[in-house]
Amino acid sequence: MSRSDVLPFPHCRLAWAELQACSNFTFLTGGSHPEEYIDRAALLGLSAVAIADVNSVAGIVRAHTRAREIARQVAERQEFDRTIGLIGPPAPPGFRRSASAHIYNTPRLLPATKIVLGEGLSATLLPKTRVGWSQLCRLISRGRLQADKGGCDLKFDDLLEFGGDQLILLHAPPALEVQLGAPSWLPHLRRLTRRFAGDVMLLLYPCYDGQDEVRFSGIAALAQRYSLPLVASAAPIMHHGARRRLTDTLTAIRLGVRVDALGRSAQVNAEQRLRSPEEAAILFQAYPEALHKTAEVLEQLTFSLDALRYEYPSELSAGENPSDRLRRLAYEGLAWRYPSGATARVKKIIEHELQLIAKLNYEPYFLTVHDIVAFARSRGILCQGRGSAANSVVCYCLGVTSVSPEIGTMVFERFVSEARNEPPDIDVDFEHERREEVIQHIYERYGRHRAGLCATVVHYRGKRAIREVGRAMGLSEDTIGALSSQLWGFFSTKGLEAERMAEIGLDSSDPRLQQTMALIYEVIGFPRHLSQHVGGFIITDGRLDELVPIENASMEGRTVICWDKDDIDSLGILKVDILALGMLTCIRKAFDLISAHYGVEYTLASLPPEDPAVYDMLCRADSLGVFQVESRAQMNFLPRMRPRCFYDLVIEVAIIRPGPIQGDMVHPYIRRRNGEE
C-alpha cells in the first residue's frame, strides 16, 4: 500500500493543524521556543498551530508576532514571484499546493492553554471568540491568584464557570479503562457535556511508548460511548526531534536529578515533535474521523490576538472629557511654572503638543501619569520624569518633569510622533524608600482586576546555564566552578573552548564535558521563569484579567501579568513606568537638611542652575555617589572633560558608553574640545 492510499487528506485539500504544542514557556518542560514552532509549521505545511502551555499563555504573543512576520514575508514574496511570472493567480480558498508551494505557507497561531485541575482532569482550551479569550484569561487568573507565585490552583467548578465560548479538548484519564474509563473522571465528563454541549471533545494523542494502539482504541471507545467527537494531536513538546537531549536535560533540572537517573521521566525517543500533514495522516490512519474533525474545528476558531483592543482608562472627571481636562491642567501648570508669564515660544510649543496629543488620542495616558505624580506630591514623595518626556512642555506643566524643555534643543516628536506610530513611554522615578506607597495607590485606585505590573522573562545566561546544566549532566562542583570562571572567555570567543579548558586543567576531549558544553550553548536564551518588571504598570478601562491573566508576584501585595515589555509593545498596549531611584531619596533628605539648617525650601525645579561650585567638584572627580557620574570610567573622564555647564554633563554621560568608546570617539572629542584639532 502506498502512502497516498492511506492519506485521508486527498491532495492535502483539508487542513492539518496542531492543537496543543507545548513550548518552553511551560518552564523546564517544553524543548522549543514558540517562534520555532511557527517557523517549523510554515516549513511543514501546517495550516495552524496552537501554543498550549500548562495553565499559561505567557509565550503566545511571541508566536503571534512571528506568525505575523511570516505572513508579511510570504505576501511580499508571492507578489514578487507573481510579478516576474513564477506563479499564477492565487489558489482557490481551502486549497493548498502541497509540494514546493510550502514556501508560501502562512500558519495561523491558535491561542490556547492546557488546563490542569486539582481533581486530576486535564483539558486543552481553545477560545473561539474574543469572549472565549476573556473567559480563558479569567480562568487562569482565578487559579493563579489562589496560589503562590508560579503555582495554579484550579478546580473543576472554575472550569464550569469560565469555560464558555471555547473548545474543550479533554485529555483521556491516565488510568483509562477501555470499557468504562476512570470512574472518578466520568462524572466530570457528564457535567461538562451538559454545560458546554457541542464544545467538548476528546483528544486523541500518542505517547510514543509502544502502547498507543491500545490507548487509541480505549479513547475511541470512550468517545463512542458518550457521543463525543475525536480530534487528533501529535502532542509535541519540541519543534524538532533534535531537541530530545535538551528536553531531557530540562526535565532533569526541573526534577532535581541527574540525566542518568531520569528513568521513566526521560523521553522514550525523539518522536514527540511537531508533525507534517503526511506524518499525521500515517500516525492516525486508523482514525480518519479524528483528522477530519481537526480540520473542521479550525472553522470555529476565529479568534486571533489581533482582535485584542487595548482600552486605556478614559480618565473622565466630573463630566469633563479627557481632552478638555488635559488642556485645563496644562494651562494651569503653565501659570504655575511661569509665574511671571510664559514666553511666546513656550505658548506656541504647548499648543503644538496639545494638538498632536489630541490627534493621537493620548490624553488619558498623560492624565494617568499626572494623577499618579499628583498623588506622590500630595504625600511629599519626590518624583521626576526621565527620558524623552523631558522634551515635553506639557509634562513640565503637569509636574511630571522639573526642567523646562525650552532650554534644550530636542523636539517633542522625539517623545510623541505621528510618523513613528508608537505610543508614548513616560518613565517616572520616585524615592526608592517610598515607591511602594505609589504602587499600592495605583492598585487601590484602579482595582487589581484593572491594574498589574508587567512580567520580565528570566532567560538562561552563562553562569546559570553552566551551573544547572552541569549539575544535571553530573559534573562535579569543582568542574562547574572552573567552567564558570571562564564564562566570558567561552561566550566571547566561541570555538576556542579546547584552549580555554586546557588553561584551567580540564580535558576538552572528555565526551561528557563536550556534551555538557553543547547543551549549555543550546539552552542559552531559553526562558527559565517569570519575574516582575521593575515598575511597568498596565492599566485598563475594563477588566485587565479579560485581556491577559493576572497572577501573584513573589513580593507580598503585588500582582503581575504574564507578558513582558516586548509582548505588550507588539500588541500596542501602553504601560506607565513607576521606577525607584535611590538618588531621589538622597535629594529629599538633602532638601530636609537645608530647610532645617538654613531655612531655605528647595524643589527640583527651583534648585539654582549651573552652580560653579558643583562643576569645580566634578572637575576634581569628587563624584562618588553622584548619579550617572559615579563609575570609575566617569571619574577617570571628568578631570579630562572638565564640565562647566549642563550640556557638558550630557556629553559626559553619553560618551562613556560601549559604542562611543569602541568607536574611538572619546579622544578625538577631547582634542577638538580643547582646540587641539
Side-chain angles (χ1 to χ4, degrees):
M1 189 186 318
S2 68
R3 175 174 293 193
S4 60
D5 293 330
V6 299
L7 286 178
F9 301 168
H11 308 295
C12 289
R13 290 183 183 275
L14 286 180
W16 161 248
E18 177 49 63
L19 298 181
Q20 63 148 17
C22 175
S23 82
N24 53 15
F25 277 82
T26 301
F27 301 116
L28 301 179
T29 299
S32 296
H33 294 282
E35 302 94 323
E36 291 177 318
Y37 276 114
I38 299 298
D39 288 339
R40 185 68 176 167
L43 181 65
L44 294 178
L46 275 70
S47 295
V49 59
I51 303 298
D53 288 309
V54 176
N55 298 328
S56 174
V57 292
I60 281 180
V61 179
R62 300 185 179 206
H64 173 70
T65 303
R66 182 58 185 153
R68 283 193 309 194
E69 177 63 18
I70 289 176
R72 183 190 64 78
Q73 292 175 357
V74 167
E76 290 177 355
R77 176 162 185 166
Q78 281 183 310
E79 183 60 31
F80 176 77
D81 289 353
R82 192 172 289 114
T83 301
I84 63 176
L86 287 182
I87 60 174
F95 180 81
R96 186 180 73 244
R97 297 178 176 89
S98 60
S100 61
H102 281 181
I103 61 173
Y104 302 126
N105 186 47
T106 55
R108 181 161 60 101
L109 170 70
L110 302 176
T113 191
K114 178 183 176 183
I115 293 294
V116 178
L117 304 179
E119 293 87 345
L121 184 143
S122 299
T124 298
L125 305 186
L126 296 103
K128 298 191 294 183
T129 62
R130 175 66 177 86
V131 173
W133 173 259
S134 300
Q135 294 288 87
L136 177 62
C137 290
R138 292 191 66 181
L139 174 64
I140 298 173
S141 299
R142 169 73 61 85
R144 294 286 185 180
L145 293 173
Q146 292 177 156
D148 294 333
K149 178 186 182 295
C152 188
D153 183 14
L154 280 171
K155 300 294 187 289
F156 181 74
D157 288 341
D158 298 325
L159 178 57
L160 287 180
E161 182 178 354
F162 296 112
D165 280 277
Q166 301 165 76
L167 291 184
I168 302 174
L169 312 183
L170 282 176
H171 298 211
L176 179 70
E177 299 173 11
V178 176
Q179 290 79 15
L180 298 176
S184 62
W185 189 78
L186 293 179
H188 295 317
L189 173 61
R190 297 189 186 99
R191 291 179 66 189
L192 272 180
T193 52
R194 286 197 300 266
R195 177 73 173 81
F196 305 112
D199 287 338
V200 181
M201 305 175 186
L202 271 181
L203 197 65
L204 190 70
Y205 64 94
C207 293
Y208 307 101
D209 58 357
Q211 302 299 314
D212 285 335
E213 186 175 345
V214 175
R215 187 177 295 107
F216 283 1
S217 176
I219 294 174
L222 195 63
Q224 185 175 14
R225 177 182 293 272
Y226 293 99
S227 302
L228 291 176
L230 278 177
V231 291
S233 166
I237 63 170
M238 47 192 169
H239 77 292
H240 192 283
R243 285 285 168 82
R244 177 189 173 186
R245 288 195 310 169
L246 180 61
T247 303
D248 281 343
T249 305
L250 293 172
T251 302
I253 294 171
R254 186 180 80 248
L255 298 179
V257 300
R258 290 175 48 168
V259 172
D260 297 344
L262 274 176
R264 292 181 180 273
S265 298
Q267 292 294 303
V268 178
N269 45 49
E271 297 300 303
Q272 206 167 346
R273 63 182 189 271
L274 198 63
R275 299 286 181 164
S276 68
E278 292 77 15
E279 288 178 307
I282 296 172
L283 191 62
F284 300 103
Q285 58 183 307
Y287 302 93
E289 70 279 8
L291 287 168
H292 282 272
K293 190 63 180 179
T294 302
E296 290 175 17
V297 299
L298 290 181
E299 300 176 6
Q300 301 179 51
L301 300 172
T302 59
F303 173 72
S304 164
L305 293 186
D306 287 327
L308 294 181
R309 292 292 177 266
Y310 172 64
E311 296 178 352
Y312 197 80
S314 59
E315 300 295 359
L316 296 174
S317 177
E320 195 176 22
N321 67 47
S323 183
D324 291 342
R325 183 177 174 227
L326 180 63
R327 179 172 288 275
R328 173 177 61 79
L329 290 172
Y331 275 95
E332 288 176 0
L334 193 68
W336 164 54
R337 289 297 198 189
Y338 300 92
S340 301
T343 64
R345 180 171 179 265
V346 170
K347 292 178 180 178
K348 181 179 179 181
I349 292 173
I350 195 172
E351 193 57 39
H352 166 69
E353 291 184 13
L354 287 171
Q355 289 177 4
L356 183 56
I357 291 169
K359 186 174 183 180
L360 299 175
N361 299 315
Y362 287 148
E363 298 100 332
Y365 181 76
F366 282 81
L367 290 171
T368 298
V369 178
H370 163 268
D371 292 347
I372 293 171
V373 168
F375 166 80
R377 292 182 185 279
S378 71
R379 295 289 185 92
I381 302 172
L382 211 59
C383 59
Q384 166 67 20
R386 69 158 70 173
S388 54
N391 304 326
S392 168
V393 171
V394 169
C395 285
Y396 179 57
C397 293
L398 293 178
V400 176
T401 58
S402 299
V403 179
S404 174
E406 65 173 327
I407 68 173
T409 58
M410 294 296 185
V411 294
F412 180 68
E413 278 73 10
R414 184 176 181 268
F415 174 42
V416 175
S417 171
E418 183 180 7
R420 287 201 314 268
N421 193 29
E422 295 176 355
D425 185 13
I426 300 178
D427 300 344
V428 186
D429 289 311
F430 297 86
E431 296 178 48
H432 80 291
E433 291 181 351
R434 302 188 64 187
R435 180 180 65 144
E436 192 62 25
E437 296 177 42
V438 181
I439 288 176
Q440 294 306 320
H441 163 72
I442 295 173
Y443 282 130
E444 290 170 9
R445 179 181 176 190
Y446 294 99
R448 291 185 181 271
H449 64 290
R450 294 178 57 202
L453 286 162
C454 284
T456 293
V457 181
V458 177
H459 296 88
Y460 271 105
R461 295 291 180 259
K463 281 189 178 295
R464 184 190 289 269
I466 291 171
R467 184 172 64 251
E468 296 194 357
V469 173
R471 287 172 181 162
M473 291 296 290
L475 299 187
S476 69
E477 291 297 325
D478 289 344
T479 303
I480 292 171
L483 289 174
S484 295
S485 71
Q486 296 297 308
L487 175 66
W488 301 115
F490 283 132
F491 294 101
S492 62
T493 55
K494 188 174 180 179
L496 300 179
E497 292 87 349
E499 296 179 17
R500 298 286 183 184
M501 288 183 186
E503 292 174 5
I504 57 177
L506 297 179
D507 181 8
S508 61
S509 64
D510 180 74
R512 183 173 291 271
L513 196 55
Q514 289 179 345
Q515 283 187 347
T516 302
M517 287 304 301
L519 289 167
I520 288 170
Y521 280 117
E522 199 170 8
V523 83
I524 295 292
F526 261 54
R528 177 60 171 77
H529 59 270
L530 290 181
S531 183
Q532 63 176 340
H533 191 273
V534 292
F537 254 103
I538 306 299
I539 307 171
T540 56
D541 196 38
R543 296 188 68 105
L544 176 62
D545 59 1
E546 292 185 350
L547 178 72
V548 57
I550 300 174
E551 58 187 85
N552 290 317
S554 56
M555 184 173 179
E556 186 177 355
R558 301 270 187 95
T559 48
V560 301
I561 66 172
C562 63
W563 292 340
D564 70 4
K565 176 184 179 298
D566 293 335
D567 294 334
I568 65 171
D569 286 347
S570 179
L571 295 176
I573 297 174
L574 296 176
K575 70 175 171 57
V576 180
D577 281 318
I578 308 300
L579 306 175
L581 187 61
M583 187 51 61
L584 282 178
T585 303
C586 295
I587 293 173
R588 160 59 60 204
K589 292 178 179 179
F591 284 166
D592 293 342
L593 289 171
I594 293 171
S595 175
H597 290 277
Y598 298 100
V600 180
E601 300 290 339
Y602 278 129
T603 67
L604 289 174
S606 63
L607 278 173
E610 310 292 14
D611 186 349
V614 173
Y615 290 106
D616 291 341
M617 180 190 77
L618 293 175
C619 289
R620 296 192 302 269
D622 185 9
S623 62
L624 188 64
V626 180
F627 184 55
Q628 295 280 33
V629 290
E630 60 181 326
S631 70
R632 287 186 177 273
Q634 292 285 0
M635 293 171 71
N636 179 58
F637 189 62
L638 280 166
R640 297 155 60 200
M641 176 72 179
R642 302 194 63 79
R644 300 309 305 175
C645 64
F646 181 73
Y647 186 72
D648 286 346
L649 288 179
V650 172
I651 298 296
E652 168 82 29
V653 172
I655 204 167
I656 303 302
R657 290 286 187 272
I661 291 173
Q662 293 173 11
D664 196 26
M665 296 172 60
V666 178
H667 297 294
Y669 176 81
I670 289 293
R671 289 195 296 269
R672 291 171 191 179
R673 186 175 185 273
N674 294 339
E676 299 170 13
E677 290 186 1

